[in-house]
Amino acid sequence: MRRSLSTLSTLSMALVVGIGLSSTALLAESPPAEEPMLEKAAAPVLVIGLDLSKSNPMVNNDDYARRVADRVAPMIEGLPLRARVMVRSFGSYDATSNTLRIDQVLSARAKPEDFARGLKTLITGVPKLVRDGKLVAQNKTNILPFLQTMSQVVDCANGPVTFVLLTDGVEDSEYARLKNKSSTLPAPTHERFQGCDDLQILGLGQGLNSPKTTERLRSTWTGWAETAGFASFTGLYDW
């Protein structure tokens, strides 16, 4: 069942009871006939991935989830109208386990500050949603498959695209098991990330309690992001 909601605060409550959200398309008024049509700059796209794997402290630590939410909210508040925000959960490579899907085009009815407030509430509430069984903590961490999937639905060649992943960055999939010191990420096999603005990982190395591991993960993801075509990479353990 899909519903359009005016604010994400209402959305957060809808998610708790398992209701999905569809984005609302914006209708732009046509300019007066006597004025030339001006091509609008492409609206930015922000993709937010919530890692629900059990290794990510965000699924069971209320204080940490709150800090993550505080970091993400201003990213939404700073977006212009017409920007698109896509929120997805990931973990296991299983679509039935990752049912959190939000697409929203920011508008006068879905203002950035309202959407940011609701998303902040949602991220803060992730540990409780897991405890209550509304979201499922998962046994794998499919970061690369998540990025590959999203590269099929956003086009970095059409405008600015930023990926923000709320994850410890420890890939645990068919591609790599980065908890092992000798493991590395495979090189990208396509060019769909060419032209993407930024890849951010918030919580890199969290839960492993090892600065050396955090640095190894940062180096690994920095190299992968550069090869993939991202203009920049940011990997934060804490902030």
Side-chain angles (χ1 to χ4, degrees), residues 168 170 179 205-210 213-214 216-217 237:
D168 58 10
V170 184
K179 194 170 184 179
Q206 275 283 344
L208 299 178
N209 304 318
S210 169
T213 299
T214 300
R216 175 173 61 84
L217 292 171
Y237 170 79

Side-chain angles (χ1 to χ4, degrees), residues 38-81:
L38 297 177
E39 184 178 348
K40 291 184 178 179
V45 177
L46 175 61
V47 178
I48 299 176
L50 279 69
D51 177 8
L52 296 183
S53 59
K54 294 177 181 178
S55 66
N56 187 7
M58 193 179 66
V59 305
N60 56 30
N61 187 314
D62 295 275
D63 290 337
Y64 179 67
R66 188 176 300 109
R67 291 208 310 276
V68 173
D70 288 341
R71 177 81 184 189
V72 171
M75 298 180 186
I76 310 293
E77 295 168 348
L79 290 174
L81 300 184

